[in-house]
Structures are given as C-alpha cells and as structure tokens.
Amino acid sequence: MADFLVALAEFDQRRAWIALGHASLFAFLTQRLGLSKAAAFFRMKAAEIIQRHPDVVAPFRDGRLCLTTVASLARVLTPENQAEVLPRFFHRSMQEAKAIAAELLPATNPPRRTVITAVPASTPRTAPVETRSQTVFLDEPISTVGAVLDPVSMPVEPTPVLRVEPLTASERRVHLTVSPAFLEKLEEARLALSHSLPGATVEDVLSAGLDLILDRDRKRKGLVANPRPAPAEASAEPGARYVPAAVRREVWQRDQGRCQWKLASGGICGSRLRVELDHVNLRCRGARPVAAELRLLCRSHNDLAAREALGDTVMDRYTRKRTAARRT
Ligand SMILES: [Zn+2]
C-alpha cells in the first residue's frame, strides 16, 4: 500500500491522469481503477499529503499511520508543526484523528463552508462562482477549499452532503450550520412569501428559493416551456456567438446533461458538474451554433479540449488569468 501511495503521489504530481483522459485523480481512481468513492478519497488525500510532507511515507509503510486518518491529518499538518503533530496521529483511528484535528484547529477556524452565489448573465465566465465564506456546509470528504476552487483537481461528481438523518421512508432530518445573517434572510423570505404561501414552513421557503435557481438553470439549458423556434439558417452562421434556446435545449436533452468526453478506456466522462456547451470545432474556426456541432463538456474537459485545439501556451495564459481572477 505504501508503495502504491508513493507511486500515486508521483503520478498526481505529474497530473498524469489528464493524459489518460480523466478530469481528476479522484476520477482516475474511481473510473479507471474501479475504487469506491471512499477508497478513492483516502488514497487521493494520501497522495496529496505525501507530496507536501514526504515524512509521512515511513509511518504509512510501517503501519503507524492509518489511511483513514489522512483527511484529518492533512487539515492540521504544517511544515512547522510536523515534528510535534505527526506522532499524535500514530496508531489512531479515524474518529480519534478527527478529535485530535478538532482540538488542534481552534474555533476561529470553523468547518469549510461555501456560498453559492447568483451569477448574473452579464458576469464574465472568469468570475468566481464559489467564494470561501459562510452558510452552506459541504461535507468533509470532497469539499476541501482547494478542490472547490480548482476545477482541474475537482472530483468528477462531488456531492455536497448535508448531515441527513432518515426518520421515516418519507422524512429526513437535516443538520445545517448557518450564520445569524442566514436566519435573518430566511425570516425575510418567509415574510415576503406570507401572501402567496401563508404559514410557510422553512422547507416551503427554501424550496421556493430552490425553484427559482432551477428555473434559471433550465433557461440556461433552453429547457423552457415554450422555446422559441429554431432560427433560420442565417443566424446559424459560422462563428456566431449566440446559441439559440432551441439548440441549447436539443443539446442538453441529447447529451442528458452529462459531459460527453470520450475516455481512453471506453465510455464517456459523464460528469454533471460544471457542464457547459462546447463547440466541437472552435468558433474562431467557423463552428456553427447548431446541435450537430455542439456537445456538453465539464469544465475540466472543456479546458482539455481547448488545450488540444489551441496549444498549452495560449491556454496557460488564459488559465492563469482565470485562476488569478478566482483568487481575488
Ligand atoms: Zn468531463
């Protein structure tokens, strides 16, 4: 196992999973090696921590360090505290490691959280969608801030997991950590709905808000009730920027909302995360906004397609700009 993890760290450092057609190390581990999400997660975390702290290899090798503790260890380990902190994780279980990490991380460093903000249509594509802030709690496994902010290292299908407790077949109890500001907003929304939804529960209010988000998303995909008819051939000119709603709808339905990137090992990427329309031929090379010349790709594979078409030099400039914008 230690040999595998060392090799995996080196493999990840070279981002060799890209050459094999995968969107992330996590995708490689699950899709190519067939590991479960949990097994893939722990190995991914181990590969990351080995790259940053090569001293963890020896304790992995002789069994002092358990694979299930790496996520907790990674949260608190720094080059400065390594000599003192690393031994505290030896011979610990996952739960014990969580407790140690909680003790070392003071209350000033709350669980990683993410706000999903509304992105107006006029916002440039380079704008950050997620910012590191409060409210919606993403579960520990996949929501490390780095992973959220770096699309290339993102797992294929990270599911924001709430702490959910099944009560009956039709009822779930959700544990959600929120700020006072969120509660104020919730109350305002409840009052705003008091005419149309008198006596609305929290679920009613949040559900109404989610409907608005989903409606906007359906518009983006052209999945509206009465799409305008497909345009005359004239507006499907080579290089046209605008993709008509009817065409967006056709592509989203045909591709079933999934990334269509073909994997070397057969099949497609299939991710539903950050999926966008892609011109199979570049717009600057005369692609037309018609369904036959469009497909859905996830962000990672859209970048990869552009790299293959335009070359790394152009894309590095573009990606650096985007990364810089994302960090501000
Ligand atoms: Zn993809």
Side-chain angles (χ1 to χ4, degrees):
M1 175 61 86
D3 287 341
F4 172 75
L5 296 176
V6 169
L8 195 65
E10 194 263 334
F11 176 83
D12 187 38
Q13 196 167 26
R14 288 189 287 120
R15 302 203 142 206
W17 36 265
I18 292 180
L20 294 172
H22 294 278
S24 64
L25 180 64
F26 185 84
F28 167 80
L29 290 170
T30 50
Q31 296 178 330
R32 177 66 73 93
L33 300 192
L35 298 182
S36 72
K37 284 184 180 174
F41 169 73
F42 288 128
R43 282 155 185 77
M44 174 182 78
K45 282 285 158 197
E48 287 170 3
I49 203 170
I50 286 171
Q51 290 172 64
R52 284 187 284 121
H53 304 276
D55 285 357
V56 301
V57 173
F60 268 134
R61 200 175 285 287
D62 60 28
R64 280 174 292 164
L65 201 56
C66 175
L67 195 55
T68 61
T69 65
V70 290
S72 297
L73 179 60
R75 283 175 61 209
V76 294
L77 195 64
T78 65
E80 293 75 32
N81 71 16
Q82 182 170 318
E84 183 208 333
V85 166
L86 183 56
R88 293 192 60 183
F89 284 82
F90 292 166
H91 311 292
R92 297 294 183 174
S93 69
M94 178 160 70
Q95 285 305 323
E96 288 165 343
K98 277 186 182 174
I100 294 169
E103 181 194 323
L104 290 171
L105 264 190
T108 51
N109 195 345
R112 283 151 294 183
R113 292 157 183 195
T114 297
V115 168
I116 311 296
T117 55
V119 183
S122 58
T123 305
R125 278 173 42 130
T126 54
V129 176
E130 300 91 348
T131 53
R132 190 179 180 183
S133 182
Q134 298 158 15
T135 49
V136 180
F137 187 7
L138 300 177
D139 200 31
E140 189 183 20
I142 317 184
S143 70
T144 61
V145 169
V148 168
L149 292 181
D150 180 1
V152 177
S153 68
M154 259 177 128
V156 160
E157 196 96 12
T159 313
V161 186
L162 297 165
R163 305 213 180 275
V164 178
E165 185 188 335
L167 297 178
T168 69
S170 59
E171 286 179 309
R172 299 285 181 275
R173 179 172 290 156
V174 175
H175 301 264
L176 181 64
T177 307
V178 300
S179 65
F182 175 86
L183 293 178
E184 278 172 32
K185 201 185 292 184
L186 182 64
E187 177 60 10
E188 265 186 71
R190 194 182 67 83
L191 295 172
L193 286 173
S194 59
H195 286 290
S196 56
L197 279 177
T201 63
V202 168
E203 182 177 359
D204 295 333
V205 175
L206 292 179
S207 189
L210 294 175
D211 284 343
L212 292 177
I213 294 171
L214 295 176
D215 277 350
R216 193 185 56 195
D217 190 51
R218 273 190 285 273
K219 275 185 198 135
R220 178 173 77 90
K221 297 169 179 172
L223 301 175
V224 290
N226 300 305
R228 270 181 265 162
E233 274 305 305
S235 61
E237 279 169 10
R241 174 175 288 272
Y242 178 69
V243 179
V247 174
R248 294 201 301 271
R249 175 196 190 91
E250 187 181 342
V251 175
W252 275 92
Q253 287 183 333
R254 181 198 64 204
D255 293 351
Q256 299 179 316
R258 292 182 177 277
C259 172
Q260 299 297 306
W261 187 262
K262 288 193 171 56
L263 298 178
S265 53
I268 57 164
C269 163
S271 174
R272 296 170 63 197
L273 191 78
R274 305 184 96 186
V275 170
E276 37 197 32
L277 283 179
D278 173 64
H279 291 269
V280 178
N281 301 304
L282 293 178
R283 204 150 39 76
C284 59
R285 295 186 187 157
R288 293 177 306 151
V290 295
E293 297 185 19
L294 289 162
R295 62 182 165 179
L296 296 184
L297 287 184
C298 70
R299 173 60 66 78
S300 300
H301 282 131
N302 210 340
D303 276 358
L304 193 57
R307 274 176 194 282
E308 286 184 355
L310 296 172
D312 283 343
T313 319
V314 173
M315 286 306 293
D316 278 343
R317 217 178 306 144
Y318 168 72
T319 311
R320 250 203 309 280
K321 246 188 253 167
R322 201 174 64 192
T323 307
R326 210 183 294 124
R327 285 181 183 149
T328 51

